[in-house]
Amino acid sequence: MNKILSVLTVCGLLAMSCQKQTLSNSTSLTSDINADGTNPNITGRRCGSYEVLEQQLKNDPSLAAKMNAIEDFTTRFQQNASMNRLVNGVIVIPVVVNVLYQTAAQNISLAQIQSQIAVLNADYAATNADYSLTPSIFQSVRSGNTNIQFVLDTVIRKSTTTSSWSTNDAMKKSPKGIAPTSPTTKLNMWCCNLGGGILGYAQFPGGSSATDGVVIDDNAFGSTGTVTAPYNKGRTATHEVGHWLNLRHIWGDANCGNDLVGDTPLHNAANYGCPAAGTKSTCTGTPVMMTMNYMDYTDDACMYIFTLGQKTRMQALFATGGSRVSFAQP
């Protein structure tokens, strides 16, 4: 795929967002699919930030070139295993959680925040209990431990009169929001009440450090407290941190699109709810879809693996010359 074209057409490359809507326990499939691979007739996680991407590209004409450079580096990393900094160790990422609240319920507890860190560590280490549910067809390409860990650094809380937030990054800016703390060495996460049905969104590598990080709705943050099913197992953050670590949606944000990973099957579209085992796409070869991958749109209870190819993309960020190598420094 032509890389500059992919940067301009993939939905939400810099600010992926998902919507918090209800859904019966079924899947999206082939009819009436939008150009970005979502289905307008199905409610569930949805990308809603193509407009954000367009605005960011307009504001920063150099952005597409930066993202293409990251892709070039990732390709070289995939072809040269000696570039891997993680052979004998792990990357430990400090996490700053910025809580913006208007109501007492939105001021989520420390226990709820800690539950989210625990989910991230389990999912990225492949120690999550549901990892064992992986169908046999995909067991050989499961990521195993990505060697990326997360540790809670600090919690910053701020009372606000803002009743809901959008994807315009206002929660990341003073005076209403909270500016990121040390964004070149710490992952900043914002927990707030997202409006417009938005569940969460993330900024990809290559964007401005002033807005770098992940935003999660307070009712989808962690696995206890105020979380609401079917987004009550902390997988919204697993998905969004995946974007922050340079992973695309598994369907490539297009009908049978390219997620830039070699070991994920072609998906004709996003999947929702909890699809039946063995669900096939309508793409060339009609492969069985990896609906349990964290980068699909299925419910929290039905996503539980990354792949080896996705692991390699994430690790490339921390190699010498990688876009997030500053996080790998002592």
Side-chain angles (χ1 to χ4, degrees):
M1 177 182 290
N2 182 283
K3 281 181 281 191
I4 190 70
L5 180 62
S6 71
V7 167
L8 294 173
T9 57
V10 172
C11 173
L13 274 181
L14 288 181
M16 296 289 187
S17 66
C18 306
Q19 292 187 338
K20 47 176 180 183
Q21 300 177 0
T22 57
L23 178 71
S24 61
N25 51 346
S26 60
T27 180
S28 76
L29 261 279
T30 57
S31 62
D32 301 321
I33 292 173
N34 290 327
D36 66 356
T38 59
N39 190 324
N41 300 318
I42 300 290
T43 55
R45 298 185 200 266
R46 292 198 178 193
C47 180
S49 54
Y50 183 71
E51 295 80 5
V52 176
L53 171 61
E54 287 183 317
Q55 189 61 51
Q56 290 181 329
L57 289 167
K58 183 186 297 184
N59 292 344
D60 182 3
S62 68
L63 187 54
K66 291 177 183 176
M67 296 183 72
N68 281 338
I70 291 171
E71 287 308 317
D72 287 339
F73 182 87
T74 300
T75 298
R76 294 196 301 272
F77 179 88
Q78 291 168 335
Q79 296 170 348
N80 184 1
S82 67
M83 295 173 65
N84 193 346
R85 293 175 58 91
L86 300 177
V87 174
N88 296 310
V90 299
I91 298 298
V92 179
I93 298 177
V95 180
V96 177
V97 177
N98 303 290
V99 181
L100 291 158
Y101 63 95
Q102 185 188 39
T103 68
Q106 292 168 4
N107 188 18
I108 64 171
S109 68
L110 179 60
Q112 185 167 344
I113 293 170
Q114 290 170 330
S115 76
Q116 182 61 81
I117 302 300
V119 169
L120 287 173
N121 280 322
D123 289 350
Y124 280 80
T127 59
N128 50 301
D130 44 5
Y131 185 77
S132 63
L133 300 178
T134 307
S136 58
I137 190 174
F138 297 129
Q139 288 183 5
S140 65
V141 298
R142 290 185 298 181
S143 66
N145 190 350
T146 67
N147 290 317
I148 300 172
Q149 295 180 358
F150 305 86
V151 60
L152 182 62
D153 181 82
T154 189
V155 178
I156 301 173
R157 301 176 185 272
K158 185 174 183 178
S159 176
T160 177
T161 58
T162 302
S163 59
S164 65
W165 304 82
S166 70
T167 57
N168 66 1
D169 286 338
M171 73 286 292
K172 305 175 183 179
K173 304 171 184 177
S174 297
K176 289 187 176 182
I178 302 172
T181 299
S182 305
T184 60
T185 56
K186 297 178 182 181
L187 166 59
N188 278 256
M189 301 180 73
W190 286 265
C191 175
C192 58
N193 182 42
L194 286 168
I198 298 299
L199 189 63
Y201 73 100
Q203 179 168 292
F204 270 72
S208 170
S209 62
T211 52
D212 197 34
V214 171
V215 183
I216 305 293
D217 183 76
D218 58 291
N219 291 319
F221 197 102
S223 59
T224 189
T226 65
V227 291
T228 304
Y231 311 118
N232 59 339
K233 294 184 178 296
R235 263 59 191 271
T236 295
T238 301
H239 176 103
E240 300 301 345
V241 171
H243 288 317
W244 185 79
L245 291 170
N246 207 27
L247 298 186
R248 310 295 198 254
H249 286 140
I250 195 169
W251 69 96
D253 293 282
N255 187 10
C256 301
N258 183 1
D259 68 349
L260 307 178
V261 178
D263 59 6
T264 55
L266 286 174
H267 284 217
N268 54 278
N271 288 283
Y272 303 89
C274 289
T279 299
K280 294 184 176 182
S281 81
T282 59
C283 305
T284 301
T286 62
V288 173
M289 289 189 287
M290 192 182 286
T291 60
M292 71 294 306
N293 192 282
Y294 292 122
M295 303 315 294
D296 207 339
Y297 270 5
T298 49
D299 290 349
D300 278 19
C302 298
M303 53 168 61
Y304 40 82
I305 63 167
F306 289 117
T307 70
L308 289 167
Q310 290 173 322
K311 174 181 177 178
T312 298
R313 282 187 64 82
M314 292 188 278
Q315 290 182 342
L317 296 172
F318 306 109
T320 301
S323 180
R324 296 202 186 280
V325 68
S326 57
F327 288 82
Q329 302 307 308

